[in-house]
Amino acid sequence: MPEDDPAVPRWRRRKQARPREIVDAALTVFGERGFAAARLDDVAARAGVSKGTLYLYFPNKEELFKAVVREAILPNLDMAERLLAGAQGPSFAVLETLLTLFATRILKSRAGAIPKLIIAEAGNFPDLARFYYDEVIRRAFALLAAVLERGMACGEFRPVDVDSTVRLIVAPMLMSALWRSSFEALEGRPPDVAALLAAHLDALRRTLAPEGGPPS
Amino acid sequence: MPEDDPAVPRWRRRKQARPREIVDAALTVFGERGFAAARLDDVAARAGVSKGTLYLYFPNKEELFKAVVREAILPNLDMAERLLAGAQGPSFAVLETLLTLFATRILKSRAGAIPKLIIAEAGNFPDLARFYYDEVIRRAFALLAAVLERGMACGEFRPVDVDSTVRLIVAPMLMSALWRSSFEALEGRPPDVAALLAAHLDALRRTLAPEGGPPS
DNA sequence: AAAATATTACTGACCAGTCAGTAATTAGTG
DNA sequence: CACTAATTACTGACTGGTCAGTAATATTTT
C-alpha cells in the first residue's frame, strides 16, 4: 500500500544529520563487505537516502571511507594518547589499560572490522593504506613504543628491542580483530577474547620482567 | 612483425604442464590483487595462455584458488606434521623449528600472500573461508597444540591455556605475513623478520618456562 | 580425417559516478 | 497572514567500463 498522504512528505531535508548517518551506514556496509565490494547503493539504502545524496556530502567512495576511519578510530587514539600523557603509575599498568581499552572499545564495536578492511584493500588502494598508516598505525606504534621506553628507563622493564616488542604486543589483539571478521562464523564458539587478553598480559609480564625478579 | 612461419606453431598442446603453470601464475596474481580483484585475463596472460584455456583445467575461479592453496600451503603443513611426528628432542626446539620453518618457507615465498587473501575475502566468499579453515587452520592449530601438550606433559613447559597460547604463538608470524602484503611498500625499510622471530622466541621461552627456572 | 587442445569474440550482470529533474523548505511581497 | 518566487536537498534513471564465464571457431596432433 503506497503512502501518498501529502501530510507525510516522502523525505525530509536534514542537512545536519545526514553526514553522520551516512558514515554510520558506511561503517556497517564496509565492515561487512570490504571496501571494494561494498555497494554505495547499499550504504545509501541503509542510511535511508538515495545514492545521489551520498555525493552531496562526500566526493567519492574513498573519501567516504576516510570519514569512517576518522569517526570510528581516531577518537579512540586520542583517548589513548591523553591517557598516556596523564599516566602516573607503573608502566605495565599503562600497557594493561591500553590493551584492555583496545579489546573493549575497538574489538567489540563495529570499528573492529576496520583493520581487516585496511589489510584486505591496502594493495589495491594504496592511498587508503597510506592514509591509515599515517593517521593510525604510526601513532599507535609510537604510543606503545613510548610506554616501553618509559618502563625501560626506570628499570621496570628489562631492555628489549622496541620495534619487535611493539609488534609482539599488537599482534594478538590485531589477530583477534581479524579473526572476528573472518572466521567467527565458522567456529562453533566465539573466540574468548578475555582469555586471550589475560594470557597475553601474563606472557608480557614474564617477557618484560627484569632478570632479577618480576616487575612490581 | 608477425611470425607466420607455419613451421613455428603459434602455440602447442601441453596438457601435462598447463595446470602447474596456471596455478603458479594464479598464485602471483591472487597474491598481488586478492581473490575478487584478480582478473583471470591476467592469470591467463601470465601463464602464457588464453582465458578460455583456464576453463579447460579448472571449472571456475574458486576452484582455481583452492588449487593454489593446495599447491602452495599444504606441502608445508605435511612437512611440519612429519617433523613433529619424528621429533625426539626438547619441545621448545620443536616450536623453534616450526616457527623458523614458517618464517622461511612461507613468509619469504609468494605463499606468504595467502593468509592476507583469505582474511580479506572470507566474508564475501564463505566457501573459501571454510575450505581454508578446514584444510589449513585447524591442522596448524592442532599441530601447535600438540607441541604444547607434549611440553607440559613432561614438565618442560608450565601449565598454560592451550588455545590462547597457540594464538599467541601464531599471531606475530601471521601479522608479519599480513604486513608484508599491506604496508611493506609504505615503510622505508623492509620489516626485520629475523629480529621479530628472535624476540618472539625469547618471549615464548620466558612465557613457557616453569616457575623453577628456564627450560633446558 | 577425427580428436584434442587452444583461441577469440561475445554475453550478461554488476556498479561507481553523473545529472536532469522534482520535492521540500525558506524568503520575499502585499 | 497567505501566497508566490527562489533556493536547496534529494531522487533515480542512465552511462561507461569491467570482468567471469561461454560459444563459436581455429590450430595442432595422431
Side-chain angles (χ1 to χ4, degrees):
Chain A
M1 54 182 82
E3 178 66 77
D4 47 7
D5 180 353
V8 178
R10 298 209 283 111
W11 45 265
R12 289 179 186 283
R13 299 166 59 169
R14 295 172 52 243
K15 191 181 167 71
Q16 298 304 317
R18 295 297 189 209
R20 186 176 302 272
E21 293 171 356
I22 291 170
V23 165
D24 191 67
L27 170 56
T28 300
V29 177
F30 283 142
E32 284 170 354
R33 316 273 297 228
F35 178 75
R39 277 171 298 201
L40 292 187
D41 274 316
D42 286 351
V43 173
R46 182 172 279 267
V49 116
S50 75
K51 188 164 66 162
T53 300
L54 302 185
Y55 286 87
L56 299 176
Y57 294 100
F58 303 94
N60 55 45
K61 202 180 184 184
E62 278 200 32
E63 289 301 322
L64 173 57
F65 178 74
K66 290 183 185 174
V68 169
V69 171
R70 272 189 276 264
E71 192 138 318
I73 302 277
L74 295 189
N76 292 298
L77 254 181
D78 292 343
M79 179 189 305
E81 280 173 350
R82 264 181 278 118
L83 195 148
L84 174 62
Q88 298 296 328
S91 297
F92 194 83
V94 177
L95 208 53
E96 196 166 342
T97 307
L98 287 176
L99 287 178
T100 307
L101 199 76
F102 183 87
T104 53
R105 301 266 312 180
I106 309 275
L107 269 188
K108 289 190 180 167
S109 74
R110 284 174 304 156
I114 290 182
K116 180 200 83 168
L117 222 153
I118 293 289
I119 284 168
E121 316 278 2
N124 296 324
F125 301 91
D127 288 355
L128 290 186
R130 165 110 270 153
F131 169 77
Y132 193 79
Y133 187 77
D134 290 340
E135 302 284 327
V136 179
I137 293 178
R138 238 205 276 271
R139 280 174 66 189
F141 271 38
L143 199 66
L144 289 171
V147 179
L148 286 179
E149 307 273 18
R150 181 180 184 273
M152 281 160 53
C154 66
E156 195 185 346
F157 297 158
R158 72 185 176 90
V160 292
D161 175 42
V162 172
D163 190 69
S164 292
T165 306
V166 166
R167 285 163 198 263
L168 291 184
I169 293 171
V170 165
M173 293 295 102
L174 192 55
M175 185 171 147
S176 290
L178 303 179
W179 215 259
R180 268 188 68 86
S181 311
S182 301
F183 299 117
E184 192 171 50
L186 299 184
E187 297 185 305
R189 64 231 138 90
D192 189 344
V193 177
L196 180 68
L197 181 60
H200 187 32
L201 286 170
D202 190 49
L204 284 176
R205 226 184 314 264
R206 292 165 194 270
T207 300
L208 294 173
E211 307 293 345
S216 53
Chain B
M1 55 180 83
E3 177 66 78
D4 47 7
D5 180 352
V8 178
R10 297 209 286 113
W11 41 264
R12 288 177 185 284
R13 296 163 59 168
R14 294 169 57 243
K15 192 180 167 68
Q16 297 305 315
R18 294 296 190 211
R20 186 176 303 273
E21 292 171 356
I22 291 170
V23 165
D24 191 66
L27 170 56
T28 300
V29 177
F30 282 143
E32 284 170 354
R33 317 273 298 228
F35 177 75
R39 278 171 298 202
L40 292 187
D41 274 316
D42 287 350
V43 174
R46 181 172 280 266
V49 116
S50 72
K51 188 169 67 166
T53 300
L54 303 185
Y55 285 87
L56 299 175
Y57 295 99
F58 303 93
N60 55 45
K61 201 180 185 184
E62 277 201 34
E63 289 301 321
L64 173 57
F65 178 75
K66 289 184 186 175
V68 169
V69 172
R70 272 189 275 266
E71 193 140 316
I73 302 276
L74 296 189
N76 292 298
L77 254 181
D78 292 342
M79 179 188 305
E81 280 173 349
R82 264 182 278 118
L83 194 149
L84 174 62
Q88 297 296 327
S91 297
F92 194 84
V94 177
L95 207 53
E96 195 166 343
T97 308
L98 288 176
L99 287 179
T100 307
L101 199 76
F102 183 87
T104 55
R105 301 267 308 182
I106 309 275
L107 268 188
K108 289 191 179 167
S109 73
R110 284 174 304 157
I114 290 183
K116 180 201 83 166
L117 222 150
I118 293 289
I119 283 167
E121 316 277 3
N124 295 325
F125 301 91
D127 288 356
L128 290 185
R130 165 110 271 154
F131 168 77
Y132 193 79
Y133 187 77
D134 290 340
E135 302 284 327
V136 180
I137 294 177
R138 236 205 277 272
R139 279 175 67 188
F141 271 37
L143 200 66
L144 288 171
V147 179
L148 286 179
E149 306 275 17
R150 180 180 184 274
M152 281 160 54
C154 66
E156 194 186 345
F157 297 156
R158 71 183 176 91
V160 291
D161 174 43
V162 172
D163 190 69
S164 292
T165 307
V166 166
R167 285 163 199 263
L168 290 184
I169 293 171
V170 166
M173 292 296 103
L174 192 55
M175 186 172 145
S176 290
L178 303 178
W179 214 260
R180 267 187 70 86
S181 312
S182 302
F183 299 116
E184 192 169 51
L186 298 185
E187 297 184 306
R189 64 229 139 91
D192 189 344
V193 177
L196 180 68
L197 181 60
H200 187 32
L201 285 171
D202 190 48
L204 283 177
R205 228 185 313 266
R206 293 166 193 270
T207 300
L208 294 172
E211 306 294 343
S216 54

